[in-house]
Amino acid sequence: MMLPIVTYPDKRLKIVSKDVTTFDAKLHTFLDDMYETMINTNGIGLAAIQVDRPINVLIVNLPNDDEEGTQDKANLLEIINPVITHSEGTTVYQEGCLSVPKFYEDVERFESIGITYQNRDGEACTLEADGLLSIAIQHEIDHLLGKLFIEKLSYGRRKKFEKEYKRMQKELKSKKS
Ligand code: QAP
Ligand code: CO
């Protein structure tokens, strides 16, 4: 089932998510719904709070590193209750977000991270990530903390964003009516 995506400036995106304690069929259905929602909206990462569930759940499914760039479900990561255990270096990447449609801007992140987390069955896992995977996981963990990538922009870039985004929302509204 597709779930509606919460978009900025909705205040629900600022909620700090809570840990998952029950790893049951309901959670599995929710993870499947998150996946369907992410794929059908051309996303590569999604946090539960973006579909109005304030729980520490995120998914990432990077495109293949080839011509087609297809997203194989075999590469889907379901990350529950993540904790960053270590980090190294810095990197800059032009990020976007399904909750901030049609806006992309450079953001600085750690280059590589290590995390502990649980999978859908509640089993303890560890992961070392670098490159786009590291960036995606940090972006999604920020969602769990109620943070959006636009909050990491410089004052000038943030002002430019607010102006562009307001103009775009006005346009969308005038097209609807
Ligand atoms: C987070 O972002 C991310 O504006 C996932 O119109 C960001 O999937 C991971 C999207 C940067 C790694 C690097 C955004 C789709 C998708 C849009 C997304 C849009 C359609 C964003
Ligand atoms: Co996002």
Side-chain angles (χ1 to χ4, degrees):
M1 181 178 66
M2 278 279 285
L3 305 169
I5 291 183
V6 178
T7 57
Y8 181 81
D10 196 308
K11 293 240 162 36
R12 287 174 291 177
L13 292 169
K14 298 174 79 75
I15 297 171
V16 178
S17 292
K18 297 246 160 52
D19 272 350
V20 171
T21 53
T22 312
F23 296 80
D24 57 4
K26 259 190 177 164
L27 176 69
H28 296 173
T29 301
F30 176 64
L31 284 163
D32 295 343
D33 290 345
M34 279 183 72
Y35 180 73
E36 187 182 337
T37 304
M38 181 181 74
I39 293 299
N40 283 299
T41 51
N42 296 314
I44 61 170
L46 187 71
I49 192 69
Q50 294 180 270
V51 290
D52 205 18
R53 284 277 293 267
I55 57 174
N56 287 328
V57 171
L58 67 92
I59 60 173
V60 175
N61 194 10
L62 296 188
N64 291 334
D65 198 15
D66 61 16
E67 302 292 76
E68 296 91 57
T70 42
Q71 281 169 292
D72 286 334
K73 195 166 183 186
N75 297 326
L76 172 65
L77 280 170
E78 295 176 333
I79 296 177
I80 301 167
N81 303 334
V83 176
I84 296 179
T85 52
H86 52 276
S87 58
E88 213 177 270
T90 56
T91 185
V92 173
Y93 190 86
Q94 190 175 56
E95 298 192 9
C97 179
L98 287 168
S99 294
V100 189
K102 305 274 193 281
F103 182 81
Y104 309 88
E105 192 56 88
D106 282 359
V107 174
E108 188 181 294
R109 302 276 184 192
F110 299 124
E111 186 170 32
S112 60
I113 56 168
I115 62 167
T116 62
Y117 67 99
Q118 286 168 284
N119 66 15
R120 63 160 61 202
D121 298 313
E123 294 162 345
C125 304
T126 63
L127 177 68
E128 298 291 327
D130 61 13
L132 187 57
L133 180 59
S134 168
I135 293 163
I137 292 172
Q138 291 173 71
H139 176 111
E140 301 309 335
I141 288 179
D142 269 357
H143 275 298
L144 306 184
L145 300 169
K147 299 287 171 218
L148 295 174
F149 80 102
I150 52 170
E151 294 170 49
K152 296 177 72 77
L153 304 181
S154 67
Y155 181 78
R157 299 246 164 204
R158 177 64 183 265
K159 266 186 49 179
K160 173 173 152 268
F161 159 73
E162 294 293 345
K163 202 172 144 198
E164 280 180 14
Y165 196 78
K166 272 189 192 129
R167 160 135 38 83
M168 195 188 71
Q169 292 214 314
K170 230 177 164 179
E171 258 173 40
L172 285 174
K173 267 190 195 157
S174 69
K175 273 181 189 157
K176 263 190 205 164
S177 57

